[in-house]
Amino acid sequence: MIENQSNNDEEQVEERSANNVREKLEEDFGEIDPQLFLALTSRRRLENGSLAFGVSKRHLRNKTGLTLLELETLLEDFGRNVKRLGLELISYVVDNEVWYCLRSIYVVPNELSLDEQAVLGTIIYLIEKTTDHRRREEIPITSTILFDRLVKRGYYTEYSLTKILRTLVSTGYIRRGGNKIRYGARTKIEIATERRKEIADRTEGMLL
Amino acid sequence: MLEDNDDIEIEISISESSNEEDSEKSSNKSKSKNNSDKQKKDPKKKKTSDGVEKKLWSVAKKYKTLLDKGLIPQIAESEEDRIEVSDAYLNISSNRHRQLDARVYQSLTKMQRTRDTKVALEGTTERDRLRMIAWEVKIRTKAIMFMPGDNTLDMDMFNLHDVGGVQIIEGDNKELLVEDKILEGKGIAIMESLPLRKLTKEQRESLKKEFLKKFGGKQFKISELESKIDSIFADLISLLVREKQIMLLRTGKDSIEIVLLHTASERINELDLVNQSIVITPKKTRK
């Protein structure tokens, strides 16, 4: 009974502080949810050509002037609201910086073409095959392996594969450094670990 | 279809022969032991939990080796293995056995799936295979949501506003950056609030003509220009400047001249010009 009451008290305090944050922000910026929604669903191209999506925690804090706790309460509250739209608030880390974005709860069409999806599937297969799942450590593959699979065996020309890879890099699905190909943040967010494993299992043996 | 199956049988037997060599040490030994056990031991004894564990282990190990090496045994052999472990569940005594049992069935299923894939892929084209891989990716993607299109500038968040008039802001004699205080102070947004418009080529051309007719070659006071152009014309100014059709020339303290480059290029060459940025943005209407 006592526990229940203290839980209720905590909830009320939390609710109150969330409301205070909202009121404070609404005074400065107007309605906050639509603005957060736009910011979280935005994307921009960085100087190196890669894609940044959503908004960083640092940027959010700078703009709103909220404390860490207040920001987290606000985002938690926002996350609950967007769930009704079939979306979920996701946080991810790039270069030691926390970013937030919105992801669909359901499987929905993505923006890749058939060929881009096929190449991404092959990359996932090759990376998952070499990765030791007990260590949970992702091992990159070399471009040579991919080109051997897809170009030498006649699926794509070198030019078209290079073009597809460039699109995958620019849309944030893969990262390329030197001869290495790694997962980009977007692949990790959009296709969860177990789903990537499923893709690898399913596509095994599909390519000659 | 039958012919296809025959082909596979041949392939499988080849793979099996190599497999036999490879996994002779591990799987066949235990298998032959099991077989001899079957003959010698009493059936009741065989059903002890130890026997079950041994049986499950040998099959699990065998399929692990086969899957790792990408080898596919004959259907009959797999069926034999399945029958061998089919009644194991009756003698399962611990959680460990249960996990082992699940593992064996998972391996058998995986092997069957790999075999099926091989059969199904006979006679498919390269395009079909790519389509299948793409499909596997497609049905597992929970996409990230994007509302605004591709931008090259960071979003100036929390400064949304109605698109009404246009405001012209000037920097010093240097390039204006989004982070510049002069922009922040005005409380304006640059990227996010303009509605998306899709114009056909004809519409674009007619808008350009209209703009050039109305503003081309004329001089305006900044406040006058602000009131005369809307966000579409502001976009057009950017476009025409980029296309090198016009140039905005600051002619006095408060005046701007929109110069048509094809008619006035000689005059511009003669002038001593200083380059300066002008940002034309929608005006924020404060409540």
Side-chain angles (χ1 to χ4, degrees), chain A residues 30-57:
Chain A
E31 260 198 84
I32 197 70
D33 275 357
Q35 311 218 33
L36 258 180
F37 190 83
L38 258 188
L40 287 163
T41 55
S42 71
R43 64 174 174 186
R44 71 188 179 99
R45 204 153 293 287
L46 300 174
E47 279 168 9
N48 61 11
S50 63
L51 194 75
F53 39 91
V55 66
S56 72
K57 194 178 200 172

CSV table of all heavy atoms in Angstrom, one decimal, chain A residues 30-57:
chain,number,residue,atom,x,y,z
A,30,GLY,N,6.5,28.1,-28.9
A,30,GLY,CA,5.2,27.7,-29.4
A,30,GLY,C,5.1,26.2,-29.1
A,30,GLY,O,5.8,25.6,-28.4
A,31,GLU,N,4.1,25.6,-29.8
A,31,GLU,CA,3.8,24.2,-29.5
A,31,GLU,C,5.1,23.3,-29.8
A,31,GLU,O,5.7,23.4,-30.9
A,31,GLU,CB,2.7,23.7,-30.4
A,31,GLU,CG,1.4,23.6,-29.6
A,31,GLU,CD,0.4,22.8,-30.3
A,31,GLU,OE1,0.5,21.5,-30.1
A,31,GLU,OE2,-0.4,23.3,-31.1
A,32,ILE,N,5.4,22.5,-28.9
A,32,ILE,CA,6.7,21.9,-28.9
A,32,ILE,C,6.7,20.5,-29.7
A,32,ILE,O,7.7,20.2,-30.4
A,32,ILE,CB,7.3,21.7,-27.5
A,32,ILE,CG1,8.8,21.4,-27.6
A,32,ILE,CG2,6.7,20.6,-26.7
A,32,ILE,CD1,9.6,22.6,-28.1
A,33,ASP,N,5.6,19.8,-29.6
A,33,ASP,CA,5.6,18.5,-30.3
A,33,ASP,C,5.8,18.5,-31.8
A,33,ASP,O,6.6,17.8,-32.3
A,33,ASP,CB,4.3,17.7,-29.9
A,33,ASP,CG,4.4,17.0,-28.6
A,33,ASP,OD1,5.6,17.0,-28.0
A,33,ASP,OD2,3.5,16.4,-28.1
A,34,PRO,N,5.1,19.4,-32.5
A,34,PRO,CA,5.3,19.4,-34.0
A,34,PRO,C,6.7,19.8,-34.3
A,34,PRO,O,7.3,19.3,-35.3
A,34,PRO,CB,4.3,20.5,-34.4
A,34,PRO,CG,3.4,20.8,-33.3
A,34,PRO,CD,4.0,20.3,-32.1
A,35,GLN,N,7.3,20.7,-33.5
A,35,GLN,CA,8.7,21.2,-33.8
A,35,GLN,C,9.7,20.0,-33.5
A,35,GLN,O,10.6,19.8,-34.3
A,35,GLN,CB,9.0,22.4,-32.9
A,35,GLN,CG,7.9,23.4,-32.9
A,35,GLN,CD,8.4,24.8,-32.9
A,35,GLN,OE1,9.5,25.0,-33.5
A,35,GLN,NE2,7.7,25.7,-32.4
A,36,LEU,N,9.4,19.3,-32.4
A,36,LEU,CA,10.3,18.2,-32.1
A,36,LEU,C,10.2,17.1,-33.3
A,36,LEU,O,11.2,16.5,-33.7
A,36,LEU,CB,9.9,17.5,-30.8
A,36,LEU,CG,10.7,17.8,-29.6
A,36,LEU,CD1,10.1,17.1,-28.4
A,36,LEU,CD2,12.2,17.4,-29.8
A,37,PHE,N,8.9,16.9,-33.7
A,37,PHE,CA,8.7,16.0,-34.8
A,37,PHE,C,9.5,16.3,-36.0
A,37,PHE,O,10.1,15.4,-36.6
A,37,PHE,CB,7.2,15.9,-35.1
A,37,PHE,CG,6.7,14.8,-36.0
A,37,PHE,CD1,6.5,13.6,-35.4
A,37,PHE,CD2,6.6,15.0,-37.3
A,37,PHE,CE1,6.1,12.5,-36.2
A,37,PHE,CE2,6.3,13.9,-38.1
A,37,PHE,CZ,6.0,12.7,-37.6
A,38,LEU,N,9.4,17.6,-36.4
A,38,LEU,CA,10.1,18.0,-37.6
A,38,LEU,C,11.6,17.8,-37.5
A,38,LEU,O,12.3,17.3,-38.4
A,38,LEU,CB,9.8,19.5,-37.9
A,38,LEU,CG,8.8,19.7,-39.0
A,38,LEU,CD1,8.8,21.2,-39.3
A,38,LEU,CD2,9.2,19.0,-40.3
A,39,ALA,N,12.1,18.2,-36.3
A,39,ALA,CA,13.6,18.1,-36.1
A,39,ALA,C,14.0,16.7,-36.1
A,39,ALA,O,15.0,16.3,-36.7
A,39,ALA,CB,13.9,18.7,-34.7
A,40,LEU,N,13.2,15.8,-35.5
A,40,LEU,CA,13.6,14.4,-35.4
A,40,LEU,C,13.5,13.7,-36.7
A,40,LEU,O,14.1,12.6,-36.9
A,40,LEU,CB,12.8,13.7,-34.3
A,40,LEU,CG,13.1,14.0,-32.9
A,40,LEU,CD1,12.0,13.6,-31.9
A,40,LEU,CD2,14.4,13.4,-32.4
A,41,THR,N,12.6,14.2,-37.6
A,41,THR,CA,12.5,13.5,-38.9
A,41,THR,C,13.3,14.2,-40.0
A,41,THR,O,13.0,14.0,-41.2
A,41,THR,CB,11.0,13.5,-39.3
A,41,THR,OG1,10.5,14.8,-39.3
A,41,THR,CG2,10.2,12.6,-38.4
A,42,SER,N,14.2,15.1,-39.6
A,42,SER,CA,15.0,15.8,-40.6
A,42,SER,C,16.2,15.0,-40.9
A,42,SER,O,16.7,14.2,-40.2
A,42,SER,CB,15.3,17.2,-40.1
A,42,SER,OG,16.3,17.1,-39.1
A,43,ARG,N,16.8,15.4,-42.1
A,43,ARG,CA,18.1,14.8,-42.4
A,43,ARG,C,18.9,15.8,-43.2
A,43,ARG,O,18.4,16.6,-43.9
A,43,ARG,CB,18.0,13.5,-43.1
A,43,ARG,CG,17.3,13.6,-44.5
A,43,ARG,CD,17.4,12.3,-45.2
A,43,ARG,NE,16.7,12.3,-46.4
A,43,ARG,CZ,16.5,11.1,-47.1
A,43,ARG,NH1,17.0,10.0,-46.7
A,43,ARG,NH2,15.9,11.1,-48.3
A,44,ARG,N,20.2,15.7,-43.1
A,44,ARG,CA,21.0,16.6,-43.8
A,44,ARG,C,22.3,15.9,-44.2
A,44,ARG,O,22.8,15.0,-43.6
A,44,ARG,CB,21.3,17.9,-43.1
A,44,ARG,CG,22.2,17.7,-41.9
A,44,ARG,CD,22.3,19.0,-41.1
A,44,ARG,NE,23.2,18.9,-40.0
A,44,ARG,CZ,24.4,19.3,-40.0
A,44,ARG,NH1,24.9,19.9,-41.0
A,44,ARG,NH2,25.2,19.1,-38.9
A,45,ARG,N,22.9,16.4,-45.3
A,45,ARG,CA,24.1,15.9,-45.8
A,45,ARG,C,25.3,16.6,-45.2
A,45,ARG,O,25.4,17.8,-45.1
A,45,ARG,CB,24.2,16.0,-47.3
A,45,ARG,CG,25.0,15.0,-48.0
A,45,ARG,CD,24.6,14.7,-49.4
A,45,ARG,NE,23.3,14.0,-49.4
A,45,ARG,CZ,23.1,12.8,-49.1
A,45,ARG,NH1,24.0,12.0,-48.7
A,45,ARG,NH2,21.9,12.3,-49.2
A,46,LEU,N,26.2,15.8,-44.6
A,46,LEU,CA,27.4,16.4,-44.0
A,46,LEU,C,28.4,16.7,-45.1
A,46,LEU,O,28.3,16.3,-46.2
A,46,LEU,CB,28.0,15.4,-43.0
A,46,LEU,CG,27.0,15.0,-41.8
A,46,LEU,CD1,27.7,13.9,-41.0
A,46,LEU,CD2,26.7,16.2,-41.0
A,47,GLU,N,29.5,17.4,-44.6
A,47,GLU,CA,30.5,17.8,-45.6
A,47,GLU,C,31.2,16.6,-46.3
A,47,GLU,O,31.6,16.7,-47.4
A,47,GLU,CB,31.6,18.6,-44.9
A,47,GLU,CG,31.2,20.1,-44.7
A,47,GLU,CD,32.1,20.8,-43.7
A,47,GLU,OE1,33.1,20.3,-43.4
A,47,GLU,OE2,31.7,21.9,-43.4
A,48,ASN,N,31.3,15.5,-45.5
A,48,ASN,CA,31.9,14.3,-46.1
A,48,ASN,C,31.0,13.5,-47.0
A,48,ASN,O,31.3,12.4,-47.5
A,48,ASN,CB,32.5,13.4,-45.0
A,48,ASN,CG,31.5,12.9,-44.1
A,48,ASN,OD1,30.3,13.0,-44.3
A,48,ASN,ND2,31.9,12.3,-43.0
A,49,GLY,N,29.8,14.0,-47.2
A,49,GLY,CA,28.8,13.4,-48.1
A,49,GLY,C,27.9,12.4,-47.4
A,49,GLY,O,27.0,11.9,-48.0
A,50,SER,N,28.2,12.0,-46.2
A,50,SER,CA,27.4,11.1,-45.5
A,50,SER,C,26.1,11.8,-45.0
A,50,SER,O,26.0,13.0,-44.9
A,50,SER,CB,28.1,10.4,-44.3
A,50,SER,OG,28.5,11.3,-43.4
A,51,LEU,N,25.2,10.9,-44.5
A,51,LEU,CA,23.9,11.5,-44.1
A,51,LEU,C,23.7,11.5,-42.6
A,51,LEU,O,24.0,10.5,-41.9
A,51,LEU,CB,22.8,10.6,-44.7
A,51,LEU,CG,21.4,11.1,-44.7
A,51,LEU,CD1,21.3,12.2,-45.8
A,51,LEU,CD2,20.4,10.0,-45.0
A,52,ALA,N,23.3,12.6,-42.1
A,52,ALA,CA,23.0,12.7,-40.7
A,52,ALA,C,21.5,12.8,-40.5
A,52,ALA,O,20.9,13.5,-41.2
A,52,ALA,CB,23.6,13.9,-40.0
A,53,PHE,N,20.9,11.9,-39.7
A,53,PHE,CA,19.5,12.0,-39.6
A,53,PHE,C,19.0,12.1,-38.2
A,53,PHE,O,19.7,11.7,-37.2
A,53,PHE,CB,18.8,10.7,-40.2
A,53,PHE,CG,19.6,9.5,-40.0
A,53,PHE,CD1,19.3,8.7,-38.9
A,53,PHE,CD2,20.6,9.1,-40.8
A,53,PHE,CE1,20.0,7.5,-38.7
A,53,PHE,CE2,21.3,7.9,-40.6
A,53,PHE,CZ,21.0,7.1,-39.5
A,54,GLY,N,17.9,12.9,-38.0
A,54,GLY,CA,17.4,13.2,-36.7
A,54,GLY,C,18.2,14.4,-36.1
A,54,GLY,O,18.6,15.2,-36.9
A,55,VAL,N,18.3,14.4,-34.8
A,55,VAL,CA,18.9,15.5,-34.2
A,55,VAL,C,19.8,15.0,-33.0
A,55,VAL,O,19.4,14.1,-32.4
A,55,VAL,CB,17.8,16.5,-33.8
A,55,VAL,CG1,16.9,16.0,-32.7
A,55,VAL,CG2,18.4,17.8,-33.3
A,56,SER,N,20.9,15.8,-32.8
A,56,SER,CA,21.8,15.3,-31.7
A,56,SER,C,21.3,15.8,-30.4
A,56,SER,O,20.7,16.9,-30.3
A,56,SER,CB,23.2,15.7,-32.0
A,56,SER,OG,23.3,17.1,-31.8
A,57,LYS,N,21.7,15.1,-29.3
A,57,LYS,CA,21.4,15.5,-28.0
A,57,LYS,C,22.0,16.9,-27.7
A,57,LYS,O,21.3,17.7,-27.1
A,57,LYS,CB,21.9,14.4,-27.0
A,57,LYS,CG,21.4,14.5,-25.6
A,57,LYS,CD,22.0,13.3,-24.9
A,57,LYS,CE,21.2,13.0,-23.7
A,57,LYS,NZ,21.7,11.8,-23.0
